Amino acid sequence: MIERAATDSNQIQGLVVVPTRELAIQAAEELNKMGEFQRIRTLPIYGGQNMIHQIKLLKKRPQTVVGTPGRLMDHMRRRTVRLQDISMVVLDEADEMLNMQFIEDIKYILSNIPENRQTMLFSASITGAVENMSHHFMKNPAMIRATPRNITVPSTEQHYIELPERRKFDVLCNFLDLHSPEAAIVFARTKKRVDEINEALARRGYATGAIHGDLNQSQRNTVMCQFRSGSIDVLVATDVAARGLDLEEVTHVYDYDIPQDPESYVHRIGRTGRAAAKG
């Protein structure tokens, strides 16, 4: 995308669509690093950031944009983002982008982009449903697999325990006491559940923070800074909120709720045992 972008154009030429604000920021940072010496600028646009501020930055004519679906559509309707000159589109975390939560948004966005574009999907796992859906957006797509499907990291030790729902919280606290994790993520299925677990852990004296889709960007940044600095050592999160988090030092992952599919399980445990570390 960077190699093909023209610095003398005032139009957006490349678009990356991502499911979360954190991933938008992270992807834009990487693209700006890669495009620095070619003078290719990338702008992240996402909900939670001031709209007027984003419009001012868009007037500086970035060559590529990384955006979350909701905010991207807001700009399209305001005509502050025009997609008629885009030659390449990337859907990142495709398994999340093409589920029922985002599918209509993606259809709307792609319907406003020229058909002669190149479309690419990136995902740690490609389900059959995603593969079938991809044919609606791509012409004769090629599948490239970098790793075997559903691979789990050998250095990550995995255990499970069967118990009644009413005992879950006490057992989680017992594990936190027993393991004394330096940095742990507790995964729950819903935003309400994340808040309940976080508040209950805090009442018991654990240094915790919660992250889910209802938090604004300032709240998310505060929690992530606290987690990275070690002032909190337990992060309670939903699957979607944890996508794109760039965390290297997570020692433990606890699945408080069983994930809905094997791919989500792989994403969850992939938060630990990174860079050849044990998890």
Side-chain angles (χ1 to χ4, degrees):
M1 183 184 296
I2 291 169
E3 291 293 337
R4 286 167 54 176
T7 57
D8 58 354
S9 172
N10 288 327
Q11 301 301 323
I12 300 168
Q13 301 159 59
L15 175 66
V16 182
V17 188
V18 298
T20 67
R21 309 169 207 188
E22 288 80 15
L23 197 52
I25 294 168
Q26 185 182 335
E29 286 177 352
E30 293 302 319
L31 284 167
N32 277 318
K33 287 178 190 174
M34 290 187 281
E36 179 182 359
F37 298 105
Q38 286 134 304
R39 294 182 295 116
I40 303 300
R41 292 182 299 105
T42 300
L43 178 67
I45 55 175
Y46 48 86
Q49 189 181 50
N50 183 276
M51 176 66 82
I52 303 301
H53 176 65
Q54 285 182 356
I55 291 172
K56 286 181 180 177
L57 293 174
L58 284 164
K59 286 180 179 178
K60 295 182 179 180
R61 306 298 183 184
Q63 286 85 9
T64 58
V65 162
V66 182
T68 52
R71 181 53 62 96
L72 184 57
M73 290 190 297
D74 285 346
H75 281 288
M76 290 168 64
R77 294 180 182 117
R78 292 168 180 256
R79 302 185 69 80
T80 48
V81 165
R82 298 171 184 259
L83 308 179
Q84 71 272 12
D85 289 311
I86 287 184
S87 61
M88 184 180 288
V89 180
V90 173
L91 301 184
D92 201 5
E93 299 288 0
D95 55 339
E96 191 63 42
M97 296 301 300
L98 296 183
N99 69 16
M100 295 312 295
Q101 180 181 356
F102 289 114
I103 187 65
E104 294 303 321
D105 296 347
I106 297 301
K107 286 180 179 177
Y108 175 80
I109 292 165
L110 293 182
S111 69
N112 285 273
I113 300 174
E115 288 190 9
N116 62 347
R117 66 181 184 266
Q118 180 179 4
T119 306
M120 305 183 76
L121 310 184
F122 288 92
S123 181
S125 57
I126 301 289
T127 63
V130 169
E131 194 168 348
N132 291 336
M133 190 64 69
S134 69
H135 289 271
H136 292 281
F137 305 123
M138 308 171 79
K139 297 177 182 177
N140 302 315
M143 173 75 75
I144 301 172
R145 296 190 185 275
T147 56
R149 192 175 177 198
N150 290 346
I151 189 169
T152 58
V153 182
S155 60
T156 299
E157 192 176 320
Q158 300 170 56
H159 302 272
Y160 74 94
I161 179 169
E162 295 183 43
L163 71 168
E165 172 71 26
R166 67 181 181 276
R167 291 195 55 217
K168 271 189 180 182
F169 184 72
D170 285 335
V171 170
L172 172 65
C173 293
N174 289 341
F175 279 147
L176 291 173
D177 293 340
L178 178 66
H179 299 153
S180 296
E182 295 175 20
I185 301 180
V186 177
F187 281 103
R189 190 171 294 157
T190 65
K191 302 169 190 175
K192 183 173 182 241
R193 182 87 139 176
V194 164
D195 284 335
E196 289 172 350
I197 296 169
N198 180 56
E199 290 165 9
L201 286 171
R203 284 195 296 269
R204 290 205 181 184
Y206 296 97
T208 72
I211 184 166
H212 54 64
D214 283 351
L215 301 183
N216 62 41
Q217 192 58 38
S218 175
Q219 291 170 318
R220 287 167 176 249
N221 289 343
T222 298
V223 172
M224 293 313 302
C225 285
Q226 291 173 331
F227 191 62
R228 288 191 175 99
S229 69
S231 58
I232 63 174
D233 47 31
V234 179
L235 184 67
V236 189
T238 55
D239 286 315
V240 173
R243 296 281 179 118
L245 295 183
D246 187 16
L247 301 170
E248 295 295 336
E249 304 299 329
V250 175
T251 58
H252 293 69
V253 167
Y254 299 94
D255 289 310
Y256 195 88
D257 295 319
I258 294 174
Q260 293 180 320
D261 53 67
E263 288 74 22
S264 292
Y265 176 77
V266 174
H267 276 290
R268 287 181 179 191
I269 69 167
R271 300 294 108 187
T272 187
R274 308 187 83 178
K278 294 197 174 197

Coordinates of all heavy atoms in Angstrom, one line a residue, residues 133-196:
M133 N -17.7 -15.5 3.1 CA -18.1 -14.1 3.0 C -17.1 -13.3 2.2 O -17.5 -12.4 1.5 CB -18.3 -13.5 4.4 CG -18.9 -12.1 4.5 SD -20.6 -12.1 3.9 CE -21.4 -13.0 5.2
S134 N -15.9 -13.7 2.3 CA -14.8 -12.9 1.6 C -15.1 -12.9 0.1 O -14.7 -12.0 -0.6 CB -13.5 -13.5 1.9 OG -13.3 -14.8 1.3
H135 N -15.7 -13.9 -0.5 CA -16.0 -14.0 -1.9 C -17.0 -12.9 -2.4 O -17.0 -12.6 -3.6 CB -16.4 -15.4 -2.3 CG -15.4 -16.4 -2.2 ND1 -14.5 -16.7 -3.3 CD2 -15.0 -17.2 -1.2 CE1 -13.6 -17.6 -2.9 NE2 -13.9 -18.0 -1.7
H136 N -17.7 -12.4 -1.4 CA -18.6 -11.3 -1.8 C -17.8 -10.0 -2.0 O -18.3 -9.1 -2.7 CB -19.6 -11.0 -0.7 CG -20.6 -12.1 -0.6 ND1 -21.7 -12.3 -1.4 CD2 -20.7 -13.2 0.3 CE1 -22.4 -13.3 -1.1 NE2 -21.8 -13.9 0.0
F137 N -16.6 -9.9 -1.4 CA -15.9 -8.6 -1.5 C -14.6 -8.7 -2.3 O -14.0 -7.7 -2.6 CB -15.4 -8.2 -0.1 CG -16.5 -8.1 0.9 CD1 -16.6 -8.9 2.1 CD2 -17.6 -7.3 0.7 CE1 -17.6 -8.8 3.0 CE2 -18.7 -7.2 1.6 CZ -18.7 -7.9 2.7
M138 N -14.3 -9.9 -2.8 CA -13.0 -10.1 -3.5 C -13.2 -10.9 -4.8 O -14.2 -11.7 -4.9 CB -12.0 -10.9 -2.6 CG -11.8 -10.3 -1.2 SD -10.8 -11.3 -0.1 CE -9.2 -11.0 -0.7
K139 N -12.4 -10.7 -5.7 CA -12.5 -11.4 -7.0 C -11.3 -12.5 -7.1 O -10.2 -12.1 -7.0 CB -12.3 -10.5 -8.2 CG -13.5 -9.4 -8.2 CD -13.3 -8.4 -9.4 CE -14.4 -7.4 -9.4 NZ -14.2 -6.4 -10.4
N140 N -11.7 -13.7 -7.2 CA -10.7 -14.8 -7.3 C -9.6 -14.7 -6.2 O -8.4 -14.6 -6.6 CB -10.1 -14.8 -8.7 CG -11.1 -15.0 -9.8 OD1 -12.0 -15.8 -9.7 ND2 -11.0 -14.2 -10.9
P141 N -10.0 -14.6 -5.0 CA -9.0 -14.4 -3.9 C -8.1 -15.6 -3.8 O -8.4 -16.8 -4.0 CB -9.8 -14.2 -2.7 CG -11.1 -14.9 -3.0 CD -11.4 -14.8 -4.4
A142 N -6.8 -15.3 -3.4 CA -5.8 -16.3 -3.0 C -5.7 -16.4 -1.5 O -5.7 -15.4 -0.9 CB -4.5 -16.0 -3.7
M143 N -5.6 -17.6 -1.0 CA -5.5 -17.8 0.4 C -4.0 -18.0 0.8 O -3.3 -18.9 0.2 CB -6.3 -19.0 0.9 CG -6.0 -19.4 2.3 SD -6.8 -18.3 3.5 CE -8.5 -18.9 3.3
I144 N -3.4 -17.2 1.6 CA -2.1 -17.4 2.1 C -2.1 -17.7 3.6 O -2.5 -16.9 4.4 CB -1.2 -16.1 1.8 CG1 -1.2 -15.8 0.3 CG2 0.2 -16.3 2.3 CD1 -0.6 -14.5 0.0
R145 N -1.5 -18.8 4.0 CA -1.5 -19.2 5.4 C -0.1 -19.1 5.9 O 0.8 -19.8 5.3 CB -2.0 -20.6 5.6 CG -3.5 -20.8 5.2 CD -4.0 -22.2 5.7 NE -5.3 -22.5 5.2 CZ -6.4 -22.1 5.8 NH1 -6.3 -21.4 7.0 NH2 -7.6 -22.3 5.4
A146 N 0.1 -18.3 6.9 CA 1.5 -18.2 7.5 C 1.7 -19.2 8.6 O 2.9 -19.6 8.8 CB 1.6 -16.8 8.1
T147 N 0.7 -19.7 9.2 CA 0.8 -20.7 10.2 C -0.3 -21.7 10.1 O -1.4 -21.4 9.6 CB 0.8 -20.1 11.6 OG1 -0.5 -19.4 11.8 CG2 2.0 -19.1 11.9
P148 N -0.1 -22.9 10.6 CA -1.3 -23.9 10.7 C -2.4 -23.3 11.4 O -2.3 -22.6 12.4 CB -0.7 -25.1 11.4 CG 0.8 -25.0 11.2 CD 1.1 -23.5 11.2
R149 N -3.6 -23.7 11.0 CA -4.8 -23.2 11.6 C -4.9 -23.7 13.1 O -4.6 -24.8 13.4 CB -6.0 -23.6 10.8 CG -7.3 -22.9 11.3 CD -8.4 -23.3 10.4 NE -9.7 -22.7 10.8 CZ -10.9 -23.1 10.4 NH1 -11.0 -24.1 9.6 NH2 -12.0 -22.5 10.9
N150 N -5.4 -22.8 14.0 CA -5.7 -23.1 15.4 C -4.4 -23.6 16.1 O -4.5 -24.3 17.1 CB -6.8 -24.2 15.5 CG -8.1 -23.7 15.1 OD1 -8.4 -22.5 15.0 ND2 -9.1 -24.7 14.9
I151 N -3.3 -23.1 15.7 CA -2.1 -23.5 16.4 C -2.0 -22.8 17.8 O -2.5 -21.7 17.9 CB -0.8 -23.1 15.6 CG1 0.4 -23.7 16.2 CG2 -0.7 -21.6 15.4 CD1 1.6 -23.6 15.3
T152 N -1.5 -23.5 18.8 CA -1.3 -22.9 20.1 C 0.1 -23.0 20.4 O 0.9 -23.9 19.9 CB -2.1 -23.7 21.2 OG1 -1.7 -25.1 21.1 CG2 -3.6 -23.7 20.9
V153 N 0.6 -22.0 21.2 CA 2.0 -21.9 21.5 C 2.4 -23.0 22.4 O 1.9 -23.1 23.5 CB 2.3 -20.5 22.1 CG1 3.8 -20.3 22.4 CG2 1.7 -19.4 21.2
P154 N 3.5 -23.8 22.0 CA 3.9 -24.9 22.9 C 4.4 -24.4 24.3 O 4.3 -25.1 25.3 CB 5.0 -25.5 22.1 CG 4.8 -25.1 20.7 CD 4.2 -23.8 20.8
S155 N 4.9 -23.1 24.3 CA 5.4 -22.6 25.6 C 4.3 -22.1 26.6 O 4.6 -21.7 27.7 CB 6.4 -21.5 25.3 OG 5.8 -20.4 24.6
T156 N 3.1 -22.2 26.1 CA 2.0 -21.8 27.0 C 1.3 -23.0 27.6 O 0.8 -23.9 26.9 CB 0.9 -21.0 26.2 OG1 1.5 -19.8 25.6 CG2 -0.3 -20.6 27.1
E157 N 1.4 -23.1 28.9 CA 0.9 -24.2 29.7 C -0.6 -24.0 29.9 O -1.1 -22.9 30.3 CB 1.6 -24.3 31.0 CG 1.3 -25.5 31.8 CD 2.1 -25.5 33.1 OE1 3.3 -25.1 33.1 OE2 1.6 -25.9 34.1
Q158 N -1.5 -25.0 29.5 CA -2.9 -24.8 29.5 C -3.6 -25.8 30.5 O -3.2 -27.0 30.5 CB -3.5 -25.0 28.1 CG -2.9 -24.0 27.1 CD -3.3 -24.4 25.7 OE1 -4.5 -24.5 25.4 NE2 -2.3 -24.6 24.8
H159 N -4.5 -25.3 31.3 CA -5.2 -26.1 32.2 C -6.7 -25.7 32.2 O -7.0 -24.6 31.9 CB -4.7 -26.0 33.7 CG -3.3 -26.3 33.8 ND1 -2.8 -27.6 34.1 CD2 -2.2 -25.5 33.7 CE1 -1.5 -27.5 34.2 NE2 -1.1 -26.3 34.0
Y160 N -7.6 -26.6 32.6 CA -9.0 -26.3 32.7 C -9.5 -26.9 34.0 O -9.0 -27.9 34.5 CB -9.8 -26.7 31.5 CG -10.1 -28.1 31.4 CD1 -11.3 -28.7 32.0 CD2 -9.3 -29.0 30.8 CE1 -11.6 -30.0 31.9 CE2 -9.5 -30.3 30.7 CZ -10.7 -30.8 31.2 OH -11.0 -32.2 31.1
I161 N -10.6 -26.3 34.5 CA -11.2 -26.9 35.8 C -12.7 -26.8 35.6 O -13.2 -25.8 35.1 CB -10.7 -26.1 37.0 CG1 -11.4 -26.6 38.3 CG2 -11.0 -24.6 36.9 CD1 -10.8 -26.1 39.6
E162 N -13.4 -27.9 35.9 CA -14.9 -27.9 35.9 C -15.4 -27.6 37.2 O -15.0 -28.2 38.2 CB -15.3 -29.3 35.4 CG -14.9 -29.7 34.0 CD -15.5 -31.0 33.6 OE1 -16.7 -31.3 33.9 OE2 -14.7 -31.8 33.0
L163 N -16.4 -26.6 37.3 CA -17.0 -26.2 38.6 C -18.3 -25.5 38.3 O -18.5 -25.0 37.2 CB -16.0 -25.3 39.4 CG -15.7 -23.9 38.9 CD1 -15.0 -23.1 40.0 CD2 -14.9 -23.8 37.6
P164 N -19.1 -25.4 39.3 CA -20.4 -24.7 39.1 C -20.2 -23.2 39.0 O -19.2 -22.7 39.5 CB -21.2 -25.0 40.4 CG -20.4 -26.1 41.1 CD -19.0 -26.1 40.6
E165 N -21.1 -22.6 38.4 CA -21.1 -21.1 38.1 C -20.8 -20.4 39.4 O -20.1 -19.4 39.5 CB -22.3 -20.6 37.4 CG -22.5 -19.1 37.3 CD -21.5 -18.5 36.3 OE1 -21.1 -19.3 35.4 OE2 -21.2 -17.3 36.4
R166 N -21.5 -20.8 40.5 CA -21.5 -20.0 41.8 C -20.1 -20.0 42.4 O -19.8 -19.2 43.2 CB -22.5 -20.6 42.7 CG -22.2 -22.0 43.2 CD -23.3 -22.5 44.2 NE -23.0 -23.8 44.7 CZ -23.2 -25.0 44.0 NH1 -23.9 -24.9 42.8 NH2 -22.9 -26.1 44.5
R167 N -19.2 -21.0 42.0 CA -17.9 -21.1 42.6 C -16.8 -20.4 41.8 O -15.7 -20.3 42.2 CB -17.5 -22.5 42.8 CG -18.3 -23.2 43.9 CD -17.7 -24.5 44.3 NE -16.3 -24.3 44.7 CZ -15.3 -25.2 44.4 NH1 -15.5 -26.3 43.7 NH2 -14.1 -24.9 44.9
K168 N -17.2 -19.9 40.6 CA -16.2 -19.4 39.6 C -15.3 -18.3 40.3 O -14.1 -18.2 40.2 CB -16.9 -18.8 38.4 CG -17.0 -19.8 37.3 CD -17.5 -19.1 36.0 CE -17.7 -20.1 34.9 NZ -18.1 -19.4 33.6
F169 N -16.0 -17.3 40.9 CA -15.3 -16.1 41.3 C -14.3 -16.5 42.5 O -13.2 -16.0 42.5 CB -16.3 -15.0 41.8 CG -15.6 -13.8 42.2 CD1 -15.0 -12.9 41.2 CD2 -15.5 -13.4 43.5 CE1 -14.3 -11.8 41.6 CE2 -14.8 -12.2 43.9 CZ -14.2 -11.4 42.9
D170 N -14.8 -17.3 43.4 CA -13.9 -17.7 44.5 C -12.6 -18.4 44.0 O -11.5 -18.2 44.5 CB -14.6 -18.5 45.5 CG -15.5 -17.7 46.4 OD1 -15.3 -16.5 46.6 OD2 -16.5 -18.2 46.9
V171 N -12.9 -19.3 43.0 CA -11.7 -20.1 42.4 C -10.8 -19.1 41.7 O -9.6 -19.3 41.8 CB -12.3 -21.2 41.5 CG1 -11.1 -21.8 40.8 CG2 -13.0 -22.2 42.4
L172 N -11.3 -18.2 41.0 CA -10.5 -17.2 40.3 C -9.6 -16.5 41.3 O -8.4 -16.3 41.1 CB -11.3 -16.2 39.5 CG -10.5 -15.0 38.9 CD1 -9.6 -15.5 37.8 CD2 -11.5 -13.9 38.3
C173 N -10.2 -16.0 42.4 CA -9.4 -15.3 43.4 C -8.3 -16.3 44.0 O -7.2 -15.8 44.3 CB -10.3 -14.8 44.5 SG -11.5 -13.5 44.0
N174 N -8.7 -17.5 44.2 CA -7.7 -18.5 44.7 C -6.5 -18.6 43.8 O -5.4 -18.7 44.2 CB -8.4 -19.9 44.9 CG -9.3 -19.9 46.1 OD1 -9.2 -19.0 47.0 ND2 -10.2 -20.8 46.2
F175 N -6.8 -18.7 42.5 CA -5.8 -18.8 41.5 C -4.9 -17.5 41.5 O -3.7 -17.6 41.4 CB -6.4 -19.0 40.1 CG -6.8 -20.4 39.8 CD1 -7.9 -20.7 39.0 CD2 -6.1 -21.5 40.4 CE1 -8.2 -22.0 38.7 CE2 -6.4 -22.8 40.1 CZ -7.5 -23.1 39.3
L176 N -5.5 -16.4 41.6 CA -4.7 -15.1 41.6 C -3.8 -15.1 42.8 O -2.6 -14.7 42.7 CB -5.6 -13.9 41.6 CG -6.4 -13.7 40.3 CD1 -7.4 -12.5 40.5 CD2 -5.5 -13.4 39.1
D177 N -4.3 -15.6 43.9 CA -3.5 -15.7 45.1 C -2.3 -16.7 45.0 O -1.2 -16.4 45.4 CB -4.3 -16.0 46.3 CG -5.3 -14.9 46.7 OD1 -5.1 -13.8 46.3 OD2 -6.3 -15.2 47.4
L178 N -2.7 -17.8 44.4 CA -1.7 -18.9 44.2 C -0.6 -18.6 43.2 O 0.5 -18.8 43.4 CB -2.5 -20.2 43.8 CG -1.6 -21.5 43.6 CD1 -1.0 -21.9 44.9 CD2 -2.5 -22.6 43.0
H179 N -1.1 -18.0 42.1 CA -0.1 -17.8 41.0 C 0.6 -16.5 41.1 O 1.7 -16.3 40.5 CB -0.9 -17.8 39.6 CG -1.6 -19.1 39.3 ND1 -2.7 -19.1 38.5 CD2 -1.3 -20.3 39.7 CE1 -3.1 -20.4 38.4 NE2 -2.3 -21.2 39.1
S180 N 0.0 -15.5 41.8 CA 0.6 -14.2 41.9 C 1.1 -13.6 40.6 O 2.3 -13.3 40.4 CB 1.8 -14.2 42.9 OG 1.3 -14.5 44.2
P181 N 0.2 -13.5 39.6 CA 0.7 -13.2 38.2 C 1.3 -11.7 38.2 O 0.7 -10.8 38.9 CB -0.6 -13.3 37.4 CG -1.7 -13.1 38.4 CD -1.2 -13.7 39.6
E182 N 2.3 -11.6 37.5 CA 2.9 -10.2 37.3 C 1.9 -9.4 36.4 O 1.8 -8.2 36.7 CB 4.2 -10.3 36.6 CG 5.3 -11.0 37.5 CD 6.6 -11.1 36.7 OE1 6.8 -10.4 35.7 OE2 7.4 -12.0 37.1
A183 N 1.3 -10.0 35.4 CA 0.4 -9.3 34.6 C -0.6 -10.3 34.0 O -0.2 -11.3 33.4 CB 1.1 -8.5 33.5
A184 N -1.9 -10.2 34.3 CA -2.9 -11.2 33.9 C -4.0 -10.6 33.2 O -4.4 -9.4 33.5 CB -3.3 -12.0 35.1
I185 N -4.6 -11.3 32.3 CA -5.9 -10.9 31.6 C -6.9 -11.9 32.0 O -6.7 -13.1 31.8 CB -5.7 -10.8 30.1 CG1 -4.7 -9.8 29.7 CG2 -7.1 -10.3 29.5 CD1 -4.5 -9.6 28.2
V186 N -8.1 -11.4 32.5 CA -9.2 -12.2 32.7 C -10.3 -12.0 31.6 O -10.7 -10.8 31.5 CB -9.8 -12.0 34.1 CG1 -11.1 -12.8 34.4 CG2 -8.8 -12.2 35.2
F187 N -10.6 -13.0 30.9 CA -11.6 -12.8 29.8 C -13.0 -13.1 30.2 O -13.2 -14.2 30.8 CB -11.2 -13.6 28.6 CG -10.1 -13.0 27.7 CD1 -8.8 -13.5 27.9 CD2 -10.3 -11.9 26.9 CE1 -7.8 -13.0 27.1 CE2 -9.3 -11.4 26.1 CZ -8.0 -11.9 26.3
A188 N -13.9 -12.3 29.9 CA -15.4 -12.5 30.1 C -16.1 -12.3 28.9 O -15.6 -11.6 28.0 CB -15.9 -11.7 31.3
R189 N -17.3 -12.8 28.8 CA -18.0 -12.8 27.5 C -18.7 -11.4 27.2 O -18.8 -11.0 26.0 CB -19.0 -13.9 27.4 CG -19.7 -14.1 26.1 CD -20.5 -15.4 26.0 NE -19.6 -16.6 26.2 CZ -20.1 -17.8 26.6 NH1 -21.4 -17.9 26.9 NH2 -19.3 -18.8 26.7
T190 N -19.2 -10.7 28.2 CA -20.0 -9.5 28.0 C -19.4 -8.3 28.7 O -18.6 -8.5 29.7 CB -21.4 -9.7 28.4 OG1 -21.5 -9.9 29.9 CG2 -22.1 -10.9 27.8
K191 N -19.8 -7.1 28.3 CA -19.3 -5.9 29.0 C -19.8 -5.9 30.4 O -19.1 -5.5 31.3 CB -19.8 -4.7 28.2 CG -19.4 -4.6 26.8 CD -20.2 -3.5 26.1 CE -19.9 -3.6 24.5 NZ -20.8 -2.6 23.8
K192 N -21.1 -6.3 30.6 CA -21.6 -6.2 32.0 C -20.9 -7.2 32.9 O -20.5 -6.9 34.0 CB -23.1 -6.7 31.9 CG -23.8 -6.6 33.3 CD -25.3 -6.9 33.1 CE -25.9 -6.8 34.4 NZ -26.6 -8.0 34.9
R193 N -20.5 -8.4 32.4 CA -19.8 -9.3 33.1 C -18.4 -8.8 33.5 O -17.9 -9.0 34.6 CB -19.7 -10.6 32.3 CG -18.9 -11.7 33.0 CD -19.9 -12.6 33.8 NE -19.6 -14.0 33.7 CZ -20.2 -14.9 34.3 NH1 -21.2 -14.6 35.2 NH2 -19.9 -16.2 34.1
V194 N -17.7 -8.1 32.5 CA -16.4 -7.6 32.8 C -16.5 -6.6 33.9 O -15.7 -6.6 34.9 CB -15.9 -6.9 31.5 CG1 -14.7 -5.9 31.8 CG2 -15.4 -7.9 30.5
D195 N -17.5 -5.7 33.9 CA -17.6 -4.7 35.0 C -17.9 -5.4 36.3 O -17.3 -5.0 37.4 CB -18.8 -3.7 34.7 CG -18.4 -2.7 33.6 OD1 -17.2 -2.4 33.5 OD2 -19.3 -2.2 32.9
E196 N -18.7 -6.4 36.4 CA -19.0 -7.1 37.6 C -17.8 -7.8 38.2 O -17.5 -7.7 39.4 CB -20.1 -8.2 37.4 CG -21.5 -7.6 37.1 CD -22.5 -8.6 36.6 OE1 -22.1 -9.8 36.4 OE2 -23.7 -8.3 36.5

